[in-house]
Amino acid sequence: MIVAVALWIIVGEQMAGASANAVVNARLSTLRTPIAGEVEMPDRALGAATSEGEVLATVVDPLADAVRLDDLQMERNFAFAEVARLEALVADTRGTMAVLERRGDRFAERQIAELELRLSHARDRLRLLGVNDERAEPEETLAGDPSSLEQSRAREEVDVLENALAAARAGVFIGDGYNDAPNSQQRLVELETLLAELQADLRAAQSRVAALGARVEAEQVAVNRLAAAEIRSTVDGQVWDVLAADGERLQRGEPVLRLVDCGSLVVTLSVTETVYNRLRIGDAAEFRLAGSGEVYPGTVTRLAGSGAATVYRNLAVAPSRQHLERYDVALLVPGLRADPDLQCPVGRTGRAFFERRPLDWLRALF
């Protein structure tokens, strides 16, 4: 019975699905310079921890092209000058209009006073001729009578002056040399039209200044981006490789740093063909770190097969030649990220198991 149990344990241990090798792996994040320029990067040791959004380096280009910005600023200055010119014209026109308006008011005031004075004298003459300031009936006037003609002329003058006075009080002036307004008022009407045109031109010029201001701000942002750029960490992880030196001149898109993403830990391993063909995505597995008795549960997340070199192009740890000769498997092991003592154990090795083994109870004790 002892021999049978021993044979069962040996066969069970050997036939249990297990990996030949397993390594903790993670995705890499390559940081590239967004502009051409000189790198300013403090010394940072390999394996140094980084947090997402942390500034790791700065690229400065003292020769950034700002020709377009200079042109836009010049255009905006011309637009400012045009606005100032139109504002001065509007102010001068308003000043001239105010002068003409005061002159027109004085003319109207004196014209009305003159008509009132002439009307008063005309009425006095009419009374001296023996006629009341009432319109006489036609039958009271004798044809051919000289006195009647004088009275008729006096009456006519009163009527004409009354009409002119009423028109002047209404803002319409009747006389020789003008139609219904003095020259100052006619000029004021012309200036009102001119002022409306100047104000429209001023609004257009102000709109152009606002548009150019927005374009200048946008171009300034673009120039600032071309003149200097910060390179920030894209992940919470570690510095895996430094690809540029402090003060080095780089072209746009060249790599600067390579980070390992500690939030993307996986376990990569290889198994025999027999074990590989029994596995399915989502199967349970166990992973044990070398030198540690801690066993972490996991699940099969990828079955890449043999010769799976291409799937490692963006992973931190590349496969060995012996690994590629077997069949590649990847495990998702959440406990590796949750264990605070491990601190992103990329590169650490161990073994993975896909079936229960006879001595698992004994391993659990130790």
Side-chain angles (χ1 to χ4, degrees), residues 19-157:
S19 66
N21 61 342
V23 62
V24 180
N25 223 326
R27 290 195 303 269
L28 293 177
S29 177
T30 302
L31 305 183
R32 300 177 182 273
T33 171
I35 63 172
E38 296 180 359
V39 178
E40 296 178 359
M41 181 169 53
D43 292 336
R44 193 177 292 269
L46 295 179
T50 65
S51 57
E52 185 176 357
E54 179 184 358
V55 178
L56 303 180
T58 303
V59 182
V60 179
D61 185 6
L63 303 178
D65 187 3
V67 174
R68 180 56 180 162
L69 177 61
D70 294 339
D71 291 342
L72 288 174
Q73 289 176 337
M74 182 177 64
E75 290 184 30
R76 185 176 62 173
N77 291 336
F78 288 155
F80 276 133
E82 179 65 11
V83 169
R85 185 184 72 85
L86 291 172
E87 287 176 343
L89 287 176
V90 168
D92 291 344
T93 302
R94 285 176 173 167
T96 303
M97 290 174 63
V99 172
L100 292 174
E101 188 173 2
R102 290 193 297 270
R103 184 182 299 174
D105 291 341
R106 288 196 299 270
F107 176 84
E109 179 183 351
R110 302 319 304 166
Q111 187 73 9
I112 291 172
E114 178 184 346
L115 290 172
E116 289 176 343
L117 183 60
R118 291 176 59 191
L119 179 60
S120 176
H121 287 297
R123 285 173 175 170
D124 289 341
R125 285 194 297 271
L126 191 59
R127 284 194 295 271
L128 290 176
L129 292 173
V131 180
N132 292 330
D133 194 8
E134 300 287 342
R135 182 175 297 278
E137 295 297 329
E139 59 271 11
E140 295 177 358
T141 303
L142 299 176
D145 188 352
S147 62
S148 297
L149 292 176
E150 290 295 331
Q151 293 173 1
S152 178
R153 291 194 188 96
R155 169 67 67 183
E156 178 184 3
E157 183 178 5

Side-chain angles (χ1 to χ4, degrees), residues 73-326:
Q73 289 176 337
M74 182 177 64
E75 290 184 30
R76 185 176 62 173
N77 291 336
F78 288 155
F80 276 133
E82 179 65 11
V83 169
R85 185 184 72 85
L86 291 172
E87 287 176 343
L89 287 176
V90 168
D92 291 344
T93 302
R94 285 176 173 167
T96 303
M97 290 174 63
V99 172
L100 292 174
E101 188 173 2
R102 290 193 297 270
R103 184 182 299 174
D105 291 341
R106 288 196 299 270
F107 176 84
E109 179 183 351
R110 302 319 304 166
Q111 187 73 9
I112 291 172
E114 178 184 346
L115 290 172
E116 289 176 343
L117 183 60
R118 291 176 59 191
L119 179 60
S120 176
H121 287 297
R123 285 173 175 170
D124 289 341
R125 285 194 297 271
L126 191 59
R127 284 194 295 271
L128 290 176
L129 292 173
V131 180
N132 292 330
D133 194 8
E134 300 287 342
R135 182 175 297 278
E137 295 297 329
E139 59 271 11
E140 295 177 358
T141 303
L142 299 176
D145 188 352
S147 62
S148 297
L149 292 176
E150 290 295 331
Q151 293 173 1
S152 178
R153 291 194 188 96
R155 169 67 67 183
E156 178 184 3
E157 183 178 5
V158 170
D159 291 342
V160 169
L161 290 173
E162 287 178 344
N163 180 64
L165 181 60
R169 287 173 176 169
V172 178
F173 300 97
I174 302 173
D176 297 332
Y178 47 84
N179 294 322
D180 62 346
N183 179 67
S184 58
Q185 290 188 357
Q186 295 179 19
R187 178 59 178 159
L188 185 60
V189 172
E190 296 175 0
L191 290 179
E192 288 176 349
T193 303
L194 177 61
L195 179 62
E197 295 176 355
L198 290 175
Q199 288 175 330
D201 292 341
L202 178 59
R203 288 191 295 270
Q206 290 171 338
S207 298
R208 177 174 172 78
V209 167
L212 286 171
R215 293 175 62 187
V216 166
E217 291 179 2
E219 188 64 22
Q220 184 68 62
V221 172
V223 170
N224 291 341
R225 289 176 178 172
L226 293 176
E230 294 179 338
I231 298 178
R232 296 177 177 270
S233 173
T234 55
V235 296
D236 291 330
Q238 296 176 351
V239 176
W240 192 252
D241 197 4
V242 179
L243 305 175
D246 183 45
E248 183 178 350
R249 177 81 182 180
L250 299 178
Q251 297 301 315
R252 180 178 180 181
E254 288 195 62
V256 178
L257 289 167
R258 188 174 287 127
L259 309 179
V260 61
D261 182 3
C262 293
S264 64
L265 294 179
V266 293
V267 174
T268 56
L269 53 103
S270 63
V271 296
T272 63
E273 183 177 4
T274 301
V275 174
Y276 181 83
N277 288 329
R278 294 203 304 264
L279 297 177
R280 297 292 184 272
I281 300 296
D283 283 355
E286 292 181 343
F287 174 69
R288 180 171 61 86
L289 282 171
S292 171
E294 187 73 23
V295 177
Y296 299 91
T299 55
V300 176
T301 188
R302 186 186 68 198
L303 298 171
S306 63
T310 57
V311 299
Y312 285 84
R313 289 176 179 173
N314 197 42
L315 292 179
V317 181
S320 65
R321 182 175 59 83
Q322 292 80 5
H323 180 107
L324 296 177
E325 291 174 354
R326 292 161 64 88

